[in-house]
Amino acid sequence: DQQVKQNSPSLSVQEGRISILNCDYTNSMFDYFLWYKKYPAEGPTFLISISSIKDKNEDGRFTVFLNKSAKHLSLHIVPSQPGDSAVYFCAASRMDSNYQLIWGAGTKLIIKP
Amino acid sequence: GAGVSQSPRYKVTKRGQDVALRCDPISGHVSLYWYRQALGQGPEFLTYFNYEAQQDKSGLPNDRFSAERPEGSISTLTIQRTEQRDSAMYRCASSRPGRSETQYFGPGTRLLVL
């Protein structure tokens, strides 16, 4: 049973426009959510996170939205830049599980010039 | 160090051999996690250390897999009698004291069992 799902394997966005990456989860007990960005041949790089007690967290061009009733979170990148082209992973964790991360399968974002 | 380091970056071994994968976490990070990632999927949890104590090993797939962190810093993941199905990317992550919710990852070790 996949607890964290990223249903879009890939997404193509024009440079300068908004990129929206989506993530759904099934376990209502998750209390922390993270987005990681991964370039080829590198490890995942932490991007932004949100606690379950919040519905929005913003950091520069990156904003994460959490809709707990829908068990859905999204990452908005605006404006999108060529360097944003990467695979984006959504992950979730619970404090009572030592914050072990449960991951989605990733979405490959391609920013077109 | 500046980031989490892992060695070797690539390991090719023959079925039945033992392998040891090393993780050197960020200095001062007390929590350390091992994950395994198959192609096209997200990482899956293997085991967790808080300082030198292995507090959760529920993700280790079988008793051929073991991990240690004897001095609360460097950790070694050992796979005995490797099988082809063990081929994967093995990732290590560490987190700061009191901030285990945010983990920082190393580049991973790509293991190929022939």
Side-chain angles (χ1 to χ4, degrees):
Chain A
D1 177 36
Q2 205 173 358
Q3 298 187 62
V4 178
K5 297 179 183 178
Q6 293 176 258
N7 292 318
S8 299
S10 65
L11 175 67
S12 186
V13 174
Q14 199 75 36
E15 181 180 357
R17 306 295 289 267
I18 183 171
S19 295
I20 300 176
L21 297 109
N22 294 303
C23 179
D24 297 295
Y25 61 95
T26 57
N27 189 341
S28 60
M29 299 299 290
F30 286 136
D31 49 28
Y32 210 75
F33 302 89
L34 307 90
W35 285 95
Y36 282 82
K37 175 181 179 180
K38 186 185 172 309
Y39 293 119
E42 294 184 12
T45 302
F46 170 71
L47 193 56
I48 192 169
S49 61
I50 188 167
S51 165
S52 62
I53 63 173
K54 297 186 175 181
D55 55 19
K56 177 182 175 181
N57 188 27
E58 190 172 354
D59 183 2
R61 297 186 298 114
F62 303 91
T63 303
V64 55
F65 295 93
L66 176 63
N67 183 334
K68 287 176 63 179
S69 61
K71 295 192 181 67
H72 177 84
L73 69 157
S74 60
L75 174 68
H76 292 211
I77 307 172
V78 56
S80 300
Q81 299 175 354
D84 296 330
S85 295
V87 177
Y88 289 78
F89 289 94
C90 168
S93 67
R94 295 170 50 173
M95 184 176 67
D96 61 3
S97 294
N98 300 308
Y99 293 110
Q100 62 173 264
L101 294 173
I102 310 299
W103 297 75
T107 296
K108 183 175 183 179
L109 176 64
I110 300 166
I111 305 301
K112 300 179 293 185
Chain B
V4 178
S5 61
Q6 291 185 246
S7 61
R9 291 292 306 274
Y10 302 93
K11 178 69 177 178
V12 181
T13 190
K14 291 184 178 179
R15 186 177 46 163
Q17 297 293 306
D18 298 350
V19 296
L21 312 180
R22 172 183 164 130
C23 173
D24 196 347
I26 295 171
S27 179
H29 281 200
V30 301
S31 295
L32 185 147
Y33 301 78
W34 282 98
Y35 294 85
R36 179 169 71 172
Q37 184 174 14
L39 205 59
Q41 298 180 20
E44 291 185 340
F45 170 78
L46 293 176
T47 187
Y48 160 70
F49 289 85
N50 187 36
Y51 295 95
E52 72 280 0
Q54 188 175 20
Q55 298 198 330
D56 187 346
K57 54 182 181 179
S58 62
L60 296 178
N62 52 61
D63 60 7
R64 295 186 296 106
F65 287 73
S66 63
E68 63 176 9
R69 194 186 184 197
E71 296 178 3
S73 180
I74 293 169
S75 177
T76 303
L77 177 70
T78 302
I79 310 173
Q80 294 180 311
R81 305 180 303 281
T82 52
E83 301 178 3
Q84 287 185 327
R85 59 178 171 157
D86 300 333
S87 297
M89 176 70 82
Y90 288 83
R91 297 200 183 277
C92 173
S94 68
S95 60
R96 297 191 306 217
R99 293 301 307 269
S100 289
E101 68 274 12
T102 304
Q103 297 168 30
Y104 298 89
F105 282 78
T109 295
R110 170 73 67 187
L111 174 66
L112 178 61
V113 182
L114 301 177

